[in-house]
Amino acid sequence: MKRGREPINRGTDQTKARILAAAAKLFDAQGFDGTTVRQIAKEADVNLALISYHFQGKRGLLEVLIASYYETFFRLLAAQKAANRGTEPLDELIALVRLYVFFQRDHAAVTRLIQRELSVESMLAREVMTVYIHRWKHSFASIIEDGITRGVFAPLSVDQVLLAMTSLLVYPYLNPQSVREVYYLEPGSDEFCEWLVASVEQLLRSLLKPSPTTSRR
Amino acid sequence: MKRGREPINRGTDQTKARILAAAAKLFDAQGFDGTTVRQIAKEADVNLALISYHFQGKRGLLEVLIASYYETFFRLLAAQKAANRGTEPLDELIALVRLYVFFQRDHAAVTRLIQRELSVESMLAREVMTVYIHRWKHSFASIIEDGITRGVFAPLSVDQVLLAMTSLLVYPYLNPQSVREVYYLEPGSDEFCEWLVASVEQLLRSLLKPSPTTSRR
DNA sequence: GTCTATATGGGGATAGAC
DNA sequence: GTCTATCCCCATATAGAC
């Protein structure tokens, strides 16, 4: 009678996918440092050693999660931008906001993971992140700058507008627990996403409107 | 010739204060799980064993930091509320917003620590936190509810308004690194604080104004 | 590609001397 | 109240069999 189980061969892709899913789930719930590779292996129902074999360790796992997340987003973004050809800047901006809100909703675990770890100075994948974040910012900034050039937006500080917009967009997905338990809203629902898009739209209109007595401090 | 150093007796308060300061700094920069008690002891220039002696271990340290933070804030808040007697709801609200913004600025390390760890489901001090967060929310909510009752605010969803407000208030202090490196703003400066207060005020005015065609979705 | 077994280090905590 | 020395556990990672 044998002691150990038979080796399970699911094929590279299956195994890698299971590990990634487990890692996303656990990093999200417990934080990167709070998660052990043993937990990941168990959650994925995969042998411990396979994590190092496929991803060069825990850190590699994090980097793959982050890179895949942004690559996927930028692919969707490119498609959206193409579809937006010739639209008014504000509508184009709102379309991007909506895309990003639903993207966050659909990738809630990695979203929260990234946004949380980003606030850790000693983060492992900081260099990787910085590049993506700047690209992310630029995809929104370019539209606003374009609108200012064309005179349809007020000549405000683009950075200030973007920071306010980002705060509204990101916070609920960084802290969905609080949103649920304190504000009794469900960040995973379609209604919430639509509300968030509408709120951001209202903020952007209020900040970007070109004409009036907007005495900017 | 002796090997070890002489015991340094700084007195309980001095030692505890040094440990707390070091812990705040390191938890902030590296996260709770990313920080070791050995690092804290070294940063505080204090013997390792004193951390467990004074705070019953790493977890106790976190709890003391959180509790002190909120106790301090609520003390300031009570003073502010007393000073606000008879003010208009909106002005009262703005006064609280200003108080909180500068409080975050002046306690940046613990602010970031709390907001980050709050997004970890398996957080050690979750029960402690939940109580404080609800108290925090209520101090803002009560003013808005009061304003709605008295007809000076539109009868909006208080939770939605508060979530939007909180997003704007908190995000920059959760992620000051990004604010600096991506948006080129300095969250520690007075100008930034004032800008943030003004932005929140604009948002609140835009959301709470009672009369017009505000077709809320 | 998968598994067992193990190497190696670092973690939090404390006993007991001073 | 402080310090040294140490316990004991659990972390990541890999060597080598299958």
Side-chain angles (χ1 to χ4, degrees), chain A residues 36-38 57-58:
Chain A
T36 71
V37 290
R38 285 167 153 67
K58 191 177 163 184

Short mmCIF file of all heavy atoms in Angstrom, two decimals, chain A residues 36-38 57-58, chain D residues 11-15:
data_model
loop_
_atom_site.label_atom_id
_atom_site.label_comp_id
_atom_site.label_asym_id
_atom_site.label_seq_id
_atom_site.Cartn_x
_atom_site.Cartn_y
_atom_site.Cartn_z
N THR A 36 1.16 33.10 2.71
CA THR A 36 2.30 32.20 2.55
C THR A 36 2.09 31.35 1.29
O THR A 36 0.95 31.08 0.88
CB THR A 36 2.43 31.26 3.76
OG1 THR A 36 1.37 30.31 3.75
CG2 THR A 36 2.40 32.05 5.05
N VAL A 37 3.21 30.93 0.73
CA VAL A 37 3.10 30.09 -0.46
C VAL A 37 2.42 28.76 -0.13
O VAL A 37 1.79 28.15 -0.99
CB VAL A 37 4.47 29.82 -1.11
CG1 VAL A 37 5.01 31.08 -1.75
CG2 VAL A 37 5.44 29.24 -0.13
N ARG A 38 2.53 28.34 1.09
CA ARG A 38 1.83 27.12 1.50
C ARG A 38 0.33 27.28 1.37
O ARG A 38 -0.38 26.39 0.87
CB ARG A 38 2.17 26.80 2.95
CG ARG A 38 3.55 26.23 3.15
CD ARG A 38 3.90 26.26 4.65
NE ARG A 38 4.83 25.24 5.06
CZ ARG A 38 6.10 25.17 4.69
NH1 ARG A 38 6.58 26.04 3.85
NH2 ARG A 38 6.88 24.21 5.12
N GLY A 57 8.90 31.74 -7.57
CA GLY A 57 8.64 32.18 -6.20
C GLY A 57 7.49 33.16 -6.05
O GLY A 57 6.85 33.56 -7.02
N LYS A 58 7.29 33.53 -4.82
CA LYS A 58 6.14 34.35 -4.45
C LYS A 58 6.16 35.70 -5.17
O LYS A 58 5.13 36.17 -5.65
CB LYS A 58 6.20 34.56 -2.93
CG LYS A 58 5.00 35.14 -2.28
CD LYS A 58 5.25 35.18 -0.77
CE LYS A 58 4.30 36.12 -0.07
NZ LYS A 58 4.60 36.22 1.38
P DA D 11 3.82 29.53 7.66
OP1 DA D 11 2.53 30.21 7.77
OP2 DA D 11 3.92 28.09 7.32
"O5'" DA D 11 4.75 30.32 6.66
"C5'" DA D 11 5.21 31.64 7.02
"C4'" DA D 11 6.54 31.93 6.35
"O4'" DA D 11 7.59 31.28 7.11
"C3'" DA D 11 6.69 31.35 4.95
"O3'" DA D 11 6.23 32.31 4.01
"C2'" DA D 11 8.20 31.19 4.84
"C1'" DA D 11 8.66 30.93 6.27
N9 DA D 11 8.97 29.52 6.55
C8 DA D 11 8.13 28.55 6.99
N7 DA D 11 8.70 27.39 7.19
C5 DA D 11 10.03 27.62 6.84
C6 DA D 11 11.16 26.78 6.83
N6 DA D 11 11.13 25.50 7.19
N1 DA D 11 12.32 27.32 6.43
C2 DA D 11 12.35 28.62 6.07
N3 DA D 11 11.35 29.50 6.04
C4 DA D 11 10.21 28.92 6.45
P DT D 12 6.01 31.84 2.56
OP1 DT D 12 5.25 32.92 1.91
OP2 DT D 12 5.48 30.46 2.62
"O5'" DT D 12 7.46 31.74 1.92
"C5'" DT D 12 8.32 32.87 1.93
"C4'" DT D 12 9.66 32.45 1.36
"O4'" DT D 12 10.20 31.36 2.15
"C3'" DT D 12 9.57 31.93 -0.08
"O3'" DT D 12 10.54 32.61 -0.87
"C2'" DT D 12 9.87 30.42 0.04
"C1'" DT D 12 10.68 30.33 1.31
N1 DT D 12 10.53 29.03 2.05
C2 DT D 12 11.63 28.26 2.30
O2 DT D 12 12.75 28.56 1.95
N3 DT D 12 11.37 27.09 2.99
C4 DT D 12 10.14 26.66 3.44
O4 DT D 12 10.03 25.60 4.06
C5 DT D 12 9.03 27.52 3.15
C7 DT D 12 7.65 27.14 3.60
C6 DT D 12 9.26 28.65 2.47
P DA D 13 10.61 32.37 -2.42
OP1 DA D 13 11.24 33.57 -2.99
OP2 DA D 13 9.31 31.91 -2.92
"O5'" DA D 13 11.64 31.16 -2.50
"C5'" DA D 13 12.89 31.29 -1.81
"C4'" DA D 13 13.65 29.99 -1.91
"O4'" DA D 13 13.06 29.01 -1.02
"C3'" DA D 13 13.62 29.37 -3.31
"O3'" DA D 13 14.96 29.13 -3.72
"C2'" DA D 13 12.85 28.07 -3.13
"C1'" DA D 13 13.07 27.76 -1.66
N9 DA D 13 12.01 26.94 -1.06
C8 DA D 13 10.66 27.17 -1.07
N7 DA D 13 9.95 26.25 -0.44
C5 DA D 13 10.90 25.37 0.01
C6 DA D 13 10.80 24.17 0.77
N6 DA D 13 9.65 23.66 1.19
N1 DA D 13 11.95 23.50 1.05
C2 DA D 13 13.11 24.02 0.62
N3 DA D 13 13.33 25.14 -0.07
C4 DA D 13 12.17 25.76 -0.34
P DT D 14 15.27 28.70 -5.21
OP1 DT D 14 16.47 29.47 -5.57
OP2 DT D 14 14.08 28.74 -6.04
"O5'" DT D 14 15.71 27.17 -5.00
"C5'" DT D 14 16.71 26.91 -4.03
"C4'" DT D 14 16.88 25.42 -3.88
"O4'" DT D 14 15.76 24.86 -3.16
"C3'" DT D 14 16.94 24.63 -5.19
"O3'" DT D 14 17.90 23.61 -5.00
"C2'" DT D 14 15.56 24.03 -5.30
"C1'" DT D 14 15.31 23.69 -3.84
N1 DT D 14 13.91 23.44 -3.46
C2 DT D 14 13.65 22.41 -2.56
O2 DT D 14 14.51 21.72 -2.07
N3 DT D 14 12.33 22.26 -2.26
C4 DT D 14 11.25 22.99 -2.75
O4 DT D 14 10.09 22.75 -2.40
C5 DT D 14 11.60 24.04 -3.68
C7 DT D 14 10.52 24.90 -4.27
C6 DT D 14 12.90 24.22 -3.99
P DA D 15 18.88 23.26 -6.14
OP1 DA D 15 19.84 24.38 -6.17
OP2 DA D 15 18.16 22.87 -7.36
"O5'" DA D 15 19.58 21.96 -5.53
"C5'" DA D 15 19.50 21.70 -4.12
"C4'" DA D 15 19.38 20.20 -3.87
"O4'" DA D 15 18.00 19.85 -3.60
"C3'" DA D 15 19.80 19.31 -5.04
"O3'" DA D 15 20.33 18.12 -4.50
"C2'" DA D 15 18.48 19.06 -5.79
"C1'" DA D 15 17.50 18.97 -4.61
N9 DA D 15 16.13 19.43 -4.91
C8 DA D 15 15.74 20.48 -5.70
N7 DA D 15 14.44 20.66 -5.74
C5 DA D 15 13.94 19.66 -4.90
C6 DA D 15 12.63 19.32 -4.53
N6 DA D 15 11.55 19.96 -4.95
N1 DA D 15 12.48 18.26 -3.68
C2 DA D 15 13.57 17.62 -3.25
N3 DA D 15 14.86 17.84 -3.54
C4 DA D 15 14.97 18.89 -4.39
#
